[in-house]
Amino acid sequence: MVEVPVFDMPFAARLSPHVDRVREHTRAWVRDMGMLNGAPWTEAFYDAADYGGFAPLTHPTASLDDLKHISDWHTWGFYVSDAFRDGFLRTRNVVGGKAFAARLKSVLTGSAPALHPAEKGLADLVSRSTLDAEDQEHLAEYLDALLWELHNTAQGRVPDPIDLVEMRRRSIATDLSAKLARKSVGAELPAELLRNSTMRALVDSFGDVPALRQEIVGFGHTYATGASTTSAVLAVQQFFECELQQAADVVADLIAARLRQICSIIGDLPSIAAEYDLGTEAQAALQRYVEALKSWLAGELLWTQRSRRFSFSPTPTRRSFHSPTGLGTAAALVR
């Protein structure tokens, strides 16, 4: 086991005023999709994990309708990850995992009917979303990243740290999360600006923070139990031949470094805006996008500290988002 460190957060967390209605909506949606049938989610586990509380913290300024839609997408991603881990990673079932991912890809392209709850959820989301070719590519990469972890685990292989960080960005759908954040605040930006290397570094760092933190927070649940070998903590331990806690501390330092990089990039954005000759409206959109990413990161940390996704017990006690307690909450302001 590893001791979870105090995670610094330079940004303030806020909670959407629509939180209760979004929780209610999301719970009804997952029930309608058949996701509360006990594998991997029971109703008690779902409530303890509080998946419906994720989007109200990560997208605090979104409208109610947008927030419901965003919550469904994130909750679907949580469900797929949990179902894949429990159904295929733990059992090293490569054949089953490939079939699971292939079915979802077929549903994504509309070439197969939706049968499994994960497929039903995706089919429903696709039917009411405007997905472009890039979105479909990112969703396919997300599924491929799950298979990559399964192959590593089935072979008992701990991947190279650099490879792992790159793939983790895909396995948490970094680009899609950033796009949802951007769309939630109506930040329409030029495509060439979004492809800029500095903007790409901003999104990559944005994705690395929650991806690496999850590997520390969820270490005891997933990696220490042997469910997966694809762990940043294990990769660092193997690469540096150090103790497990030392490896976890290195990963925590990397998270802190990514946050510093985000702050540094944000400081450089005025010069990038000038380089692309952005008008007043585009500059305002860029600022809204940056604020959305900051809110997402702060909200994700607060949700992670309160969610019982990795520490579920049969008799969970809901903790209020309005009075934060525990490690790392001194930097978080919920208002």
Side-chain angles (χ1 to χ4, degrees), residues 229-245:
T229 61
T230 308
S231 160
V233 176
L234 294 178
V236 170
Q237 181 192 36
Q238 178 174 280
F239 187 80
F240 290 108
E241 299 182 346
C242 61
E243 296 296 325
L244 199 61
Q245 187 61 52

Side-chain angles (χ1 to χ4, degrees), residues 64-275:
L64 176 59
D65 287 342
D66 285 348
L67 199 51
K68 289 178 178 179
H69 190 64
I70 291 168
S71 183
D72 291 347
W73 267 114
H74 280 299
T75 303
W76 174 82
F78 283 127
Y79 180 83
V80 170
S81 295
D82 289 353
F84 195 86
R85 181 194 62 230
D86 290 355
F88 308 109
L89 268 179
R90 290 190 186 278
T91 58
R92 276 47 171 179
N93 184 355
V94 175
V95 174
K98 285 182 176 180
F100 179 81
R103 287 280 309 176
L104 285 172
K105 288 181 179 180
S106 296
V107 170
L108 179 62
T109 58
S111 58
L115 303 175
H116 185 277
E119 298 167 12
K120 292 178 181 179
L122 180 58
D124 179 68
L125 286 165
V126 169
S127 72
R128 50 192 174 92
S129 303
T130 303
L131 300 179
D132 57 26
E134 186 177 60
D135 295 330
Q136 294 202 359
E137 179 182 354
H138 290 321
L139 282 166
E141 288 177 346
Y142 161 66
L143 297 171
D144 288 341
L146 296 178
L147 291 177
W148 178 79
E149 181 170 0
L150 176 55
H151 283 292
N152 281 325
T153 300
Q155 297 167 14
R157 175 178 177 268
V158 177
D160 176 90
I162 296 177
D163 290 342
L164 189 144
V165 169
E166 177 66 29
M167 291 303 292
R168 272 288 172 257
R169 293 170 186 162
R170 299 180 182 181
S171 69
I172 69 161
T174 294
D175 287 290
L176 289 172
S177 293
K179 187 172 183 178
L180 282 173
R182 179 162 50 85
K183 294 293 186 181
S184 75
V185 293
E188 296 296 330
L189 295 168
E192 59 271 21
L193 172 65
L194 296 173
R195 290 193 295 265
N196 173 277
S197 59
T198 302
M199 293 297 292
R200 285 302 317 162
L202 174 63
V203 172
D204 287 346
S205 296
F206 159 78
D208 289 346
V209 171
L212 294 172
R213 179 162 49 236
Q214 176 178 292
E215 302 222 340
I216 298 176
V217 175
F219 186 86
H221 180 77
T222 303
Y223 308 109
T225 61
S228 175
T229 61
T230 308
S231 160
V233 176
L234 294 178
V236 170
Q237 181 192 36
Q238 178 174 280
F239 187 80
F240 290 108
E241 299 182 346
C242 61
E243 296 296 325
L244 199 61
Q245 187 61 52
Q246 289 178 299
D249 292 342
V250 169
V251 176
D253 288 343
L254 180 57
I255 295 169
R258 287 292 191 266
L259 283 169
R260 290 194 297 271
Q261 183 175 19
I262 289 171
C263 292
S264 176
I265 291 172
I266 290 173
D268 290 338
L269 289 182
S271 62
I272 294 175
E275 177 185 347

Side-chain angles (χ1 to χ4, degrees), residues 7-14 54 57-60 172 174 177 181 202-213 255 258-263 266 289-305 328 331-332:
F7 295 110
D8 292 330
M9 177 51 61
F11 315 127
R14 293 181 292 167
F54 181 82
L57 271 171
T58 52
H59 300 77
I172 69 161
T174 294
S177 293
L202 174 63
V203 172
D204 287 346
S205 296
F206 159 78
D208 289 346
V209 171
L212 294 172
R213 179 162 49 236
I255 295 169
R258 287 292 191 266
L259 283 169
R260 290 194 297 271
Q261 183 175 19
I262 289 171
C263 292
I266 290 173
Y289 179 35
V290 168
E291 292 301 320
L293 294 180
K294 289 162 63 175
S295 290
W296 198 104
L297 290 169
E300 186 274 338
L301 173 59
L302 197 54
W303 178 84
T304 297
Q305 291 170 330

